[in-house]
Amino acid sequence: MCGIVGFYGPDDVAHDIVFGLTALQHRGQDAAGIATFDDNFHLCKGNGLISDVFKPKQLKKLKGNIGIGHARYTTQGSGDAELAQPFTTSYPFGLAMVHNGNVINFRSAAKRLHEKYHVLPKTSNDLELIMYTFASELRLKNLDALSVVDIFDAVETTQELVKGAYATITVIAGHGLLAFNDPLGIRPLVLGRRDTENGPIYAFASESTCFDYLGFEFIKNVGPGQAIFIDKDFKVHYKNPYAQPKAFCVFEHIYFAREDSTIHGRLVARERVRLGKMLAKKVIESGIQPDMVIDVPSSGYFAASGLAEAIGVPYRRALVKNNHMGRSFIVSSQAGREDIVKKKLNPIREFVDGKKIAVVDDSIVRGTTSRRIVRILREAGAAEVYFISSAPPIIAPCIYGIDMAMSTELIAANYTEEEICRYIEADKVIYQSIEDLQELFSEEKGHGGNCFACFTGKYPTGDVTKYLRHIQEERQSHRTDKKGPDNNTMPSVSAKAPAPTEH
């Protein structure tokens, strides 16, 4: 999962790109990059946060009224700085591209690229594959008289050849700014506009929260399979989206997107409140009677408040988060995740001591972070701790850009709720039901379809057995020489179980 932005206007756009990426910092903390264009491409990228990579000295060099930016969250591959986006190529015209997502047919698509077009990707980054596939198709057109139809034809062929989840933004030097989605629209991408004295500025971004910060008007979501091209005269061209149903990632609503973003007409905060209210029935049926409901900050806040309201129990913010520690989910190693959890959450003992606590988190992935939170609350004097997940049990890995690990590492794929409860040392574990989640986000409600693969094992792109095997082989090879807490071992269900890797 990454954050991407693209801007095109009458004046330099580097500062808008930086502010836009800062609003998307929650989507990626490993690396960041910006590419702008005037007469040449100007590129700056490196490992770290937005504020670490882009200093005033670098911004002065990022000239141009068109540009793109990327905040990286590493899923597959290494975290080397050379893999930070954007990527550029000099032919045809000069292209710079960013993407958010994950390609699932990398090997076969790369083989075709090499055999048909004699292009050999030099990295394992999916973006390079998408960019060179698009560039190769574009080269077949009449480059002396390139039309919007030609661009959209190259996009459509790219969408047919590259399988998986991807939202992309591309600068075509001297021509304009292009954005397109995979045919299922799995990843988010939105279009906005801001009017200035010198003319309009158009922007693409992963989430609408960027537009709130920058004073842009939201125009539309980039639909499944849709392409939008803004030409050099700032005219907006649309390629009609695919007729097949949308399969937008529901985990964006549960965890990844910011709560102040609106996705496909749904305010993320409101949907999380609804998730909490839906949990009320299961909490009441379980027979537990908590003294208060608390959240695991910050993605659990709205679900916790919704649950507390529905069952008539006070909500308290009893875990205080150090906002400078980052998101443990997108830290690449278990040791790093464990360290962040220890340092970023501090209980308010006066609230917790002697109380029966219902603690709401967005999900339970591998279980060790959940166990650490339970221990923190018990150390603060909690009489009982009930761990409540606003998501259903995660039983299958996400292959579309969220690093949820293999099914052998997912605790709910291997153990019952009772065993999970014993492992995380809670008095009760309660999950959201998949039926309620699917009903909330059902297509019949007029908001389109969603991907529930991590909860059901049913992938919208079809049979992915071969791809899952490839991932497992690569991970096992990568970790062969590792020892200790990074090993891919599932926990014992005893209270003193060794910890697996964790969200």
Side-chain angles (χ1 to χ4, degrees), residues 158-409:
T158 301
Q159 291 167 324
E160 292 170 357
L161 296 174
V162 180
K163 307 298 182 183
Y166 47 87
T168 72
I169 310 173
T170 305
V171 174
I172 305 178
H175 287 77
L177 188 65
L178 170 70
F180 64 89
N181 260 345
D182 67 82
L184 292 168
I186 297 172
R187 290 284 152 239
L189 193 61
V190 293
L191 170 66
R193 169 178 168 146
R194 184 179 70 207
D195 291 319
T196 73
E197 294 180 355
N198 297 325
I201 304 175
Y202 285 96
F204 294 102
S206 293
E207 296 183 34
S208 65
T209 186
C210 281
F211 300 158
D212 296 335
Y213 279 97
L214 294 169
F216 277 70
E217 174 191 1
F218 171 85
I219 296 178
K220 72 182 305 294
N221 295 280
V222 181
Q226 188 171 37
I228 299 176
F229 179 67
I230 303 166
D231 67 23
K232 58 185 177 182
D233 297 318
F234 297 103
K235 182 178 179 181
V236 183
H237 305 267
Y238 298 92
K239 169 186 170 289
N240 290 332
Y242 277 56
Q244 65 190 90
K246 179 169 89 266
F248 184 75
C249 174
V250 76
F251 210 71
E252 289 274 357
H253 289 286
I254 294 170
Y255 173 78
F256 227 93
R258 266 182 49 156
E259 55 266 39
D260 52 347
S261 287
T262 298
I263 299 177
H264 297 296
R266 292 174 175 246
L267 177 65
V268 172
R270 184 178 296 116
E271 299 310 314
R272 291 177 183 170
V273 170
R274 289 174 176 168
L275 289 170
K277 290 183 175 180
M278 289 194 309
L279 283 163
K281 181 180 178 182
K282 295 192 73 172
V283 170
I284 292 170
E285 289 176 349
S286 73
I288 64 173
Q289 295 182 323
D291 297 315
M292 70 174 65
V293 177
I294 71 170
D295 66 288
V296 178
S298 56
S299 56
Y301 166 72
F302 287 98
S305 64
L307 173 61
E309 180 182 341
I311 64 175
V313 171
Y315 164 81
R316 294 287 184 273
R317 174 147 280 185
L319 288 171
V320 178
K321 178 183 177 182
N322 180 340
N323 290 316
H324 302 285
M325 290 304 299
R327 302 182 92 178
S328 61
F329 186 88
I330 59 179
V331 173
S332 57
S333 70
Q334 181 194 337
R337 284 186 288 261
E338 289 274 341
D339 190 50
I340 281 182
V341 172
K342 291 175 183 178
K343 293 177 180 177
K344 80 173 182 179
L345 295 179
N346 187 45
I348 301 177
R349 294 178 180 272
E350 287 77 4
F351 285 176
V352 172
D353 191 24
K355 300 294 195 303
K356 293 182 289 184
I357 306 295
V359 55
V360 180
D361 203 357
D362 55 83
S363 59
I364 304 171
V365 181
R366 301 173 180 91
T368 54
T369 290
S370 305
R371 183 171 66 173
R372 179 62 189 168
I373 290 167
V374 172
R375 287 179 174 177
I376 287 172
L377 292 170
R378 291 202 188 281
E379 290 167 2
E384 294 183 9
V385 180
Y386 316 120
F387 205 95
I388 301 175
S389 169
S390 63
I394 296 173
I395 62 169
C398 176
I399 61 172
Y400 302 126
I402 299 178
D403 190 16
M404 284 184 177
M406 298 305 298
S407 57
T408 53
E409 302 171 278

Side-chain angles (χ1 to χ4, degrees), residues 34-44 61-64:
I34 291 175
T36 60
F37 180 81
D38 49 15
D39 294 328
N40 296 285
F41 278 117
H42 306 283
L43 186 64
C44 176
K61 298 178 181 179
L62 293 171
K63 300 294 185 181

Side-chain angles (χ1 to χ4, degrees), residues 10 40 42 54 56 58 74 83 101 127 185 235 265 278 295 438 492:
N40 296 285
H42 306 283
F54 307 114
Q58 284 79 26
T74 306
L83 297 181
L127 173 63
K235 182 178 179 181
M278 289 194 309
D295 66 288
Q438 289 174 327
S492 160

Side-chain angles (χ1 to χ4, degrees), residues 77-142:
S78 70
D80 292 343
E82 70 175 15
L83 297 181
Q85 301 181 29
F87 280 12
T88 62
T89 183
S90 60
Y91 182 76
F93 305 113
L95 304 175
M97 183 181 283
V98 291
H99 97 302
N100 169 33
N102 195 51
V103 173
I104 64 171
N105 68 330
F106 186 95
R107 293 184 182 184
S108 61
K111 181 180 179 182
R112 181 187 182 280
L113 193 62
H114 187 239
E115 292 177 348
K116 183 175 181 179
Y117 297 110
H118 313 294
V119 175
L120 181 65
K122 62 181 179 181
T123 74
S124 61
N125 193 305
D126 294 341
L127 173 63
E128 190 179 24
L129 179 72
I130 299 170
M131 182 181 70
Y132 281 131
T133 299
F134 173 71
S136 298
E137 293 301 321
L138 205 59
R139 289 170 190 167
L140 301 178
K141 311 302 180 183
N142 180 0

Side-chain angles (χ1 to χ4, degrees), residues 351-502:
F351 285 176
V352 172
D353 191 24
K355 300 294 195 303
K356 293 182 289 184
I357 306 295
V359 55
V360 180
D361 203 357
D362 55 83
S363 59
I364 304 171
V365 181
R366 301 173 180 91
T368 54
T369 290
S370 305
R371 183 171 66 173
R372 179 62 189 168
I373 290 167
V374 172
R375 287 179 174 177
I376 287 172
L377 292 170
R378 291 202 188 281
E379 290 167 2
E384 294 183 9
V385 180
Y386 316 120
F387 205 95
I388 301 175
S389 169
S390 63
I394 296 173
I395 62 169
C398 176
I399 61 172
Y400 302 126
I402 299 178
D403 190 16
M404 284 184 177
M406 298 305 298
S407 57
T408 53
E409 302 171 278
L410 300 171
I411 196 166
N414 297 275
Y415 297 112
T416 66
E417 288 188 21
E418 290 75 15
E419 290 171 328
I420 294 168
C421 183
R422 188 155 66 247
Y423 172 72
I424 70 171
E425 302 174 9
D427 293 285
K428 185 72 177 179
V429 167
I430 296 175
Y431 282 98
Q432 186 77 256
S433 76
I434 182 60
E435 294 79 13
D436 285 346
L437 184 68
Q438 289 174 327
E439 170 62 22
L440 178 61
F441 291 99
S442 66
E443 192 166 359
E444 288 72 21
K445 291 184 180 292
H447 296 286
N450 286 269
C451 174
F452 300 94
C454 57
F455 308 119
T456 65
K458 298 177 182 178
Y459 295 92
T461 52
D463 185 5
V464 297
T465 305
K466 183 182 293 185
Y467 178 71
L468 289 171
R469 185 170 65 250
H470 289 165
I471 294 177
Q472 190 160 8
E473 289 171 355
E474 289 176 4
R475 291 196 176 199
Q476 287 174 343
S477 175
H478 178 64
R479 292 171 175 172
T480 297
D481 297 326
K482 288 191 175 184
K483 300 182 183 297
D486 283 328
N487 285 348
N488 273 345
T489 53
M490 282 303 299
S492 160
V493 295
S494 67
K496 300 297 184 181
T501 53
E502 170 56 22

